[in-house]
DNA sequence: TATCTCTTCGTAAACGTTCCCGATAGGTGA
DNA sequence: TCACCTATCGGGAACGTTTACGAAGAGATA
């Protein structure tokens, strides 16, 4: 016969069914339900983290005092403060950012959404972001969309669940609907766009000198005496694609050159696309005498392929591109590029985000253009140098 | 005269000093201290996140029920569950991972410590880690040490404060003391080392085929007829440096070639180091006729510099390297490399970490060697191909 | 009707931290 | 001695979530 844990009676106990696999009892005299308990109380889990509670226990003070000591707050005597800090050091305490963030409503973490880490541009951006974030005492959470809209949405969802304090976004190629981030923006989540920006939301935007760079590259080609300049552009939807094409068109117009639609190819940056474009251009009655590739890899691929085909660079064909410096230097002939500063983009973007976070919504929106630099090498030097 | 909020007396109130800028009172009749309160109760902060409490309020049920519904637990009727899930969707709810992690003691976040994101190898590793982490529903927090021991320690400290569930580490060049991670390991924090591993702690280690790759590269050089093979190694402390050198030495020994100390240069992977090494080797009475650079960038730099110096590659000087495929293909002459699979390394490392996490300490430690692949190109082809 | 059963829901504690507010001790000046 | 003061400490609520366990009710069985 069982005993009621409440009134200690053992005469008025009846069985009252099963619950969660255990027998349930009912004490009629005090009207109390209960189950048999199992005497299992082992907590063998090794404790990885020291808490302020541990410190409080050791010191014989309250957790409030420990908190004050560790955060250098007032209302505490220097002696106590130092003693606690010493113990904290000894016990190898470090604060649980989760609990901290949880209670203060901020997590000291920012989220970054990019298409692909492996692309040197984004790796550089990340490096810049990291640096600035570290200076501000923030951690960085990174997600890749792999150019998939769906993944991007899921990623942002995940970052949001982790309660990031802010978001740095560079959209995937696929992304054309922005209701998700629009709603986040409306809710007041600090966000900054960079590179692959989105014009439909009123966030600060960090961009590279796409228009100006393209303009400078094409103008350089024209000054070198090239007349029939083709452009190997990216996907039509991509903003950098549009901007760089605009720079290209503007340079042509400015210098009175004809714009020929057959010289304008849009593609997906793949090697196949680049080579096929070159093939098709060569079959024109008037093939281009220079190519502006908005992606440096395509430019490099064109150079390699031209060598295979026996095309003389830069005399028969001038080539310029956007982007990465190192590879451009290595290829033969070295590639004239408009060099961008990925790390700088990351730094500027992160700094902007921290401004937005600090100013709590009432910031003045601002767009920033990170300057690039024209680097002239042999792939476009038709004239003798000088 | 003030009124005591406890006994409502207003005759026995005396001032009792100041506290936190406010006047303090003392009621003598009920022995109660109090301050004047300021009637400020505004909460204008826009709410970014919906909580289960919000849902519970809307539905008129308890938060426990909401939690059960959203986590597909038992003890709930299908009708209620569906209704709650519908509301949750409408209210755009997503769970606060912080609170969740906080209460369950796990954060669904892993930390990664690497020397530098910008290096293609690590970018590739990260990409692999990300992918596997996503599959497991984990988020990734990344830190760069920038090859600084101090930064590395701080980073790990920070990740720990964020209560990551596990750690993936590739050490900086500087790191020679491992007491920090040793103590973490002893506390039971799941950890996996990759690439720049640490032999002093009994963690699972993911390595690349350093020894085997170096052996294959050098053997290939020997088979091509090169006799005086030099090695451009990295810092002595670095394990990959040691392993690759061992492979080099083993190949020489196996084929009966003399080991010449003057052919072995240790450095910091910098361009200056590579060029200076080539200069110094050329001044030897018997300069090397082939160079094995354990870092592909050094190999590429040697190729470029050799061209400047008018050295014929591969006839006068054969060159082979470790690493990145794309750049190796682009350079002229194309570089023979032992290709590694960074993404694979990341995937394997992450998978291993999740195994460790899942098996809660009682896992069997295992080291994994991620296979590489010898890719022969022109920079080492002395003999006509075939 | 008395006893037993199962389903479904609510209550409350716990996680680690911060912060508001009151408590207490020891002063000072009249 | 009484009114007043300051410095320093503790108690406890709050943050969002999960979960152990009890409550309530309906139905089944005797």
């Amino acid at each position: 016969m069982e005993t009621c844990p409440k009134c200690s009676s053992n005469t008025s106990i009846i069985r009252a069914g099963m619950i969660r696999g255990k027998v349930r009892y009912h004490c009629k005299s005090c009207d109390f339900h209960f189950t048999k308990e199992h005497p299992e109380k082992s907590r063998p889990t090794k404790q990885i983290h020291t808490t302020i509670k541990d410190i409080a226990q050791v010191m014989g003070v309250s957790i409030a005092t420990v908190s004050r000591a560790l955060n250098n707050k007032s209302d505490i005597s220097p002696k106590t403060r130092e003693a606690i800090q010493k113990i904290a050091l000894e016990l190898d305490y470090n604060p649980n950012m989760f609990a901290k963030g949880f209670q203060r409503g901020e997590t000291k973490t920012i989220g970054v959404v990019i298409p692909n880490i492996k692309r040197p541009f984004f790796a550089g951006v990340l490096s810049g972001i990291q640096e600035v974030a570290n200076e501000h005492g923030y951690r960085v959470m990174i997600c890749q969309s792999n150019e998939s809209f769906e993944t991007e949405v899921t990623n942002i969802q995940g970052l949001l669940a982790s309660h990031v304090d802010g978001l740095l976004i560079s959209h995937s190629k696929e992304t054309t609907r922005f209701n998700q981030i629009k709603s986040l923006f409306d809710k007041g989540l600090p966000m900054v766009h960079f590179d692959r920006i989105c014009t439909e939301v009123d966030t600060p935007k960090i961009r590279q000198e796409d228009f100006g760079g393209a303009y400078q590259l094409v103008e350089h080609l024209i000054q070198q005496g090239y007349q029939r300049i083709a452009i190997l552009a990216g996907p039509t939807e991509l903003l950098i694609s549009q901007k760089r094409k605009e720079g290209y068109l503007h340079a042509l117009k400015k210098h009175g050159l004809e714009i020929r639609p057959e010289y304008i190819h849009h593609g997906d940056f793949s090697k196949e696309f680049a080579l096929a474009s070159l093939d098709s251009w060569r079959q024109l009655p008037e093939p281009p005498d220079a190519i502006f590739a908005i992606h440096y890899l395509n430019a490099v691929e064109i150079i390699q392929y031209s060598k295979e085909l026996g095309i003389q660079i830069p005399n028969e064909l001038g080539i310029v591109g956007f982007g990465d410096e190192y590879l451009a230097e290595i290829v033969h002939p070295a590639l004239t590029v408009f060099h961008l500063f990925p790390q700088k983009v990351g730094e500027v973007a992160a700094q902007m985000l921290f401004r937005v976070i600090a100013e709590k919504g009432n910031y003045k929106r601002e767009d920033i253009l990170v300057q690039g630099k024209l680097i002239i090498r042999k792939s476009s030097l038709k004239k003798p140098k000088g």
Side-chain angles (χ1 to χ4, degrees), chain A residues 64-302:
Chain A
T65 306
V66 177
S67 176
R68 276 190 285 259
L70 296 175
N71 293 296
N72 280 316
K73 289 283 169 68
S74 58
D75 277 12
I76 188 167
S77 75
K79 247 188 289 180
T80 319
R81 183 204 310 279
E82 280 162 28
I84 290 177
Q85 284 177 346
K86 192 171 152 233
I87 296 283
L89 220 61
E90 277 174 18
L91 291 185
D92 201 25
Y93 168 79
N94 69 10
N96 184 338
M97 294 305 284
F98 264 74
K100 211 172 219 167
F102 177 42
Q103 108 91 23
R104 305 177 59 170
E106 61 174 32
T107 57
K108 292 282 180 188
T109 304
I110 60 172
V112 181
V113 181
I114 53 172
N116 195 326
I117 304 185
K118 282 188 282 187
R119 300 245 309 271
F121 170 72
F122 288 114
V125 172
L126 282 182
S127 190
I129 292 173
Q130 286 272 3
E131 199 164 310
V132 175
N134 270 355
E135 286 170 16
H136 284 74
Y138 273 71
R139 263 162 300 286
V140 180
M141 224 171 233
I142 296 166
C143 290
Q144 305 185 73
S145 65
N146 282 318
E147 306 286 8
S148 146
F149 174 65
E150 203 180 336
T151 311
E152 187 176 294
V153 170
T154 313
N155 281 342
I156 294 179
Q157 204 64 219
L159 289 174
L160 213 65
S162 292
H163 277 217
V164 291
D165 290 344
L167 230 42
L168 288 168
I169 307 180
S170 190
H171 285 291
S172 85
K173 270 190 281 196
E174 276 184 25
T175 308
T176 51
R177 296 204 321 275
F178 300 98
N179 34 3
Q180 183 194 26
I181 57 165
K182 194 179 278 181
S183 101
L184 289 178
F185 177 74
D186 290 339
K187 284 181 188 162
L189 182 71
M191 295 197 292
V192 170
H193 276 93
F194 66 93
D195 194 48
R196 307 266 199 87
I197 66 172
C198 142
T199 48
E200 297 184 25
V201 181
D202 203 32
T203 50
K205 299 179 203 325
I206 314 299
R207 287 226 319 277
Q208 306 182 90
E209 212 185 340
D210 289 313
F211 178 89
Y215 181 85
Q216 289 181 45
L217 281 171
V218 175
E219 185 167 58
H220 161 71
L221 285 174
I222 295 170
Q223 285 166 352
Q224 286 292 316
Y226 296 102
Q227 296 281 333
R228 300 185 305 278
I229 302 168
I231 180 172
L232 207 59
T236 329
E237 323 81 61
L238 222 58
L239 207 76
I240 58 163
S241 215
Q242 295 165 19
K243 287 287 173 191
R244 292 176 187 180
K245 191 170 109 185
E246 281 173 24
Y248 159 82
L249 295 174
H250 191 250
L252 292 188
K253 245 182 269 177
K254 187 85 171 274
H255 289 270
L257 291 184
E258 187 190 353
I259 292 166
R260 308 194 191 189
E262 69 269 24
Y263 283 179
I264 300 175
H265 276 198
H266 283 278
D268 58 356
F269 296 136
S270 73
K271 184 170 182 176
E272 292 68 35
F273 155 67
L275 305 194
S277 287
L278 181 54
D279 283 338
S280 91
W281 278 329
R282 290 188 74 214
Q283 286 170 7
L284 290 177
E286 281 191 312
D289 59 358
I291 296 175
F292 162 38
I294 77 163
H295 194 295
Y296 74 98
L297 274 184
N298 286 149
V300 171
E301 283 151 7
I302 292 270

